Amino acid sequence: MSEALIFDAVRTPRGRGRPDGALHTASPLHLATTVLDALRNRNAFDAGAVEDVVMGCAETANDQGANIARSAALTAGYPDSVGGCVVSRFCGSGLEAVNMAAARLMAGQADMMVAGGVEMMSLVPMLSTGGPIASDTAFNTISWLTPQGISADLIATLEGHSRAQVDAFAAESQVRADEAIRAGRFDGSLVPVHAPDGAILLDREEYPRPGTTAQTLAGLKPAFAGMGAAGFGETVKRRYPQVHRLEHVHHAGNSSGIVDGAAALLLGTEAAGRVAGLRPRGRILSFAAIGSEPSIMLTAPAEASARALRRAGLGFDDIDLFEVNEAFASVVLYFMDRTGVPHDKVNVNGGAIALGHPIGATGAILAGTLLDELERREARYGLVTMCVGLGMGVATVIERLA
């Protein structure tokens, strides 16, 4: 079996996913093209050697529709021979794109691939693609479906995560992100986004709120209490009879931020890298994707990670660094509770609470962030994992190469 090597990883800064965000005047195509351009320009490889461009995108509608991966490859000037496809596994789309590209390399069905993701949440809101979760009440009844914020509050209720605990976790994410930005830990992978006239639209992270504390977060009102009162509280009580009262502890300050962004990784076999004169930075050892109970929805990262680790012949204690997507504070607290992984190994440079979660791009962003930090610390093994809507989880194990 061939190896799936990582030669490089790039990403845009994350812009606020609002009409006043710095990237709002761009387009998903422009963001995706930016990272494909940067990947080729940084590494001077023959783009014709790329078999396919696989990009995650959660909401493949409107400006993000019609196979944006192929459109971006053509716009970036990759040869016509380079294909493109889009993967949608909700929040896990970008990481799933990386895993799918790696699987083709490992199976000997490709020699060089580009994988990544793009999401412009300021232009294409969540649930823009519709589907049964937006329109089919019978499906929602069968699946016990609830909004993700209710699921996050359900985890906190069942696990005993207090408002003070989730706020403390969120404040620490802001502190870590601010320290990482000040120390330039993201600079090696960041590529600026330019306007058509060459002016810089964004060259730094726009979402973080330095100076955030648990005390300032304590003043925010719970975001999902209204949904609970509208009937979803009763839904989860029927599904989980042990819940007598749903504790609403999540709000905008301890939940992932709505942002715009894109990322891309260059992957290939050892032989392809040698021909292109590329030095591998890491290798993908294993990956996993699982389903879980759709009402609580957000608990799968622990089991997905365990499965990926078993496939790599490793345990949680072997992993030096973890990137666990901060969809909500309780998601990461649950992961650490279930796995025994200490917080000093998890999201050491902050996470989506501080930096934002451009849904289809986040997994690819985290893979690159993890590899950068493994190199900085001269550590060996890292793991990326994400919770996914409708009750799923995805995980990837990465080894740094000296």
Side-chain angles (χ1 to χ4, degrees):
M1 186 172 71
S2 298
E3 291 184 321
L5 302 178
I6 305 171
F7 296 113
D8 202 7
V10 299
R11 66 175 180 87
T12 69
R14 282 159 281 200
R16 292 191 187 99
R18 304 186 313 218
D20 62 351
L23 297 179
H24 179 67
T25 57
S27 70
L29 177 60
H30 183 56
L31 297 191
T33 301
T34 294
V35 292
L36 294 187
D37 274 336
L39 206 58
R40 180 184 53 196
N41 294 339
R42 281 163 52 119
N43 296 281
F45 63 90
D46 175 13
V50 175
E51 180 93 12
D52 210 355
V53 175
V54 185
M55 299 204 82
C57 185
E59 299 295 340
T60 55
N62 302 324
D63 287 357
Q64 291 177 175
N67 195 345
I68 195 168
R70 170 65 169 169
S71 300
L74 292 173
T75 306
Y78 284 41
D80 293 349
S81 59
V82 180
C85 72
V86 175
V87 178
S88 180
R89 194 188 286 279
F90 299 129
C91 294
S93 299
L95 192 58
E96 187 63 34
V98 172
N99 293 347
M100 287 180 64
R104 286 173 64 177
L105 295 168
M106 294 165 131
Q109 300 304 305
D111 298 314
M112 188 173 288
M113 300 279 289
V114 171
V118 61
E119 203 84 34
M120 279 202 67
M121 303 179 76
S122 67
L123 288 179
V124 186
M126 289 182 286
L127 300 181
S128 292
T129 49
I133 61 176
S135 62
D136 192 327
T137 56
F139 169 76
N140 291 346
T141 300
I142 291 168
S143 63
W144 298 93
L145 194 66
T146 61
Q148 286 196 359
I150 295 292
S151 299
D153 284 341
L154 176 59
I155 293 172
T157 301
L158 291 171
E159 298 298 310
H161 299 151
S162 68
R163 172 66 184 264
Q165 286 177 302
V166 293
D167 282 352
F169 179 89
E172 179 63 16
S173 181
Q174 294 281 357
V175 169
R176 293 182 180 192
D178 185 49
E179 289 176 351
I181 291 168
R182 290 175 179 274
R185 295 177 199 162
F186 300 143
D187 293 354
S189 297
L190 277 179
V191 294
V193 180
H194 293 87
D197 64 1
I200 292 178
L201 291 176
L202 189 64
D203 61 358
R204 57 179 174 77
E205 301 287 5
E206 189 179 30
Y207 189 79
R209 295 173 174 84
T212 298
T213 67
Q215 290 70 35
T216 59
L217 293 175
L220 298 178
K221 294 182 179 180
F224 308 106
M227 292 180 179
F232 289 110
E234 291 303 314
T235 298
V236 298
K237 283 195 231 179
R238 289 197 300 272
R239 181 67 182 85
Y240 291 88
Q242 66 270 41
V243 174
H244 300 293
R245 180 177 181 273
L246 191 62
E247 299 294 335
H248 295 289
V249 299
H250 289 91
H251 49 75
N254 57 32
S255 306
S256 56
I258 294 174
V259 294
D260 303 328
L265 287 78
L266 180 62
L267 309 174
T269 63
E270 182 180 5
R274 189 165 54 248
V275 169
L278 298 170
R279 180 185 68 84
R281 296 174 56 193
R283 67 164 62 93
I284 295 175
L285 296 181
S286 65
F287 36 85
I290 69 167
S292 61
E293 200 276 298
S295 182
I296 202 167
M297 194 183 305
L298 309 173
T299 58
E303 178 54 35
S305 298
R307 188 174 298 186
L309 288 170
R310 286 195 296 270
R311 288 174 177 164
L314 298 170
F316 283 99
D317 290 342
D318 296 310
I319 302 301
D320 298 294
L321 294 171
F322 294 81
E323 288 289 337
V324 183
N325 188 41
E326 293 176 359
F328 301 89
S330 62
V331 170
V332 189
L333 294 176
Y334 180 95
F335 175 86
M336 293 189 293
D337 289 344
R338 286 296 185 273
T339 62
V341 174
H343 196 188
D344 61 6
K345 285 188 174 185
V346 177
N347 302 354
V348 295
N349 291 317
I353 289 172
L355 296 160
H357 175 24
I359 305 175
T362 301
I365 290 173
L366 294 183
T369 298
L370 177 64
L371 183 56
D372 286 345
E373 189 63 18
L374 288 171
E375 290 177 336
R376 190 180 77 85
R377 297 182 178 219
E378 298 185 349
R380 184 174 182 183
Y381 293 121
L383 184 146
V384 183
T385 187
M386 311 181 72
C387 61
V388 180
L390 282 179
M392 293 182 283
V394 61
T396 306
V397 180
I398 294 173
E399 180 182 16
R400 177 188 69 90
L401 299 177

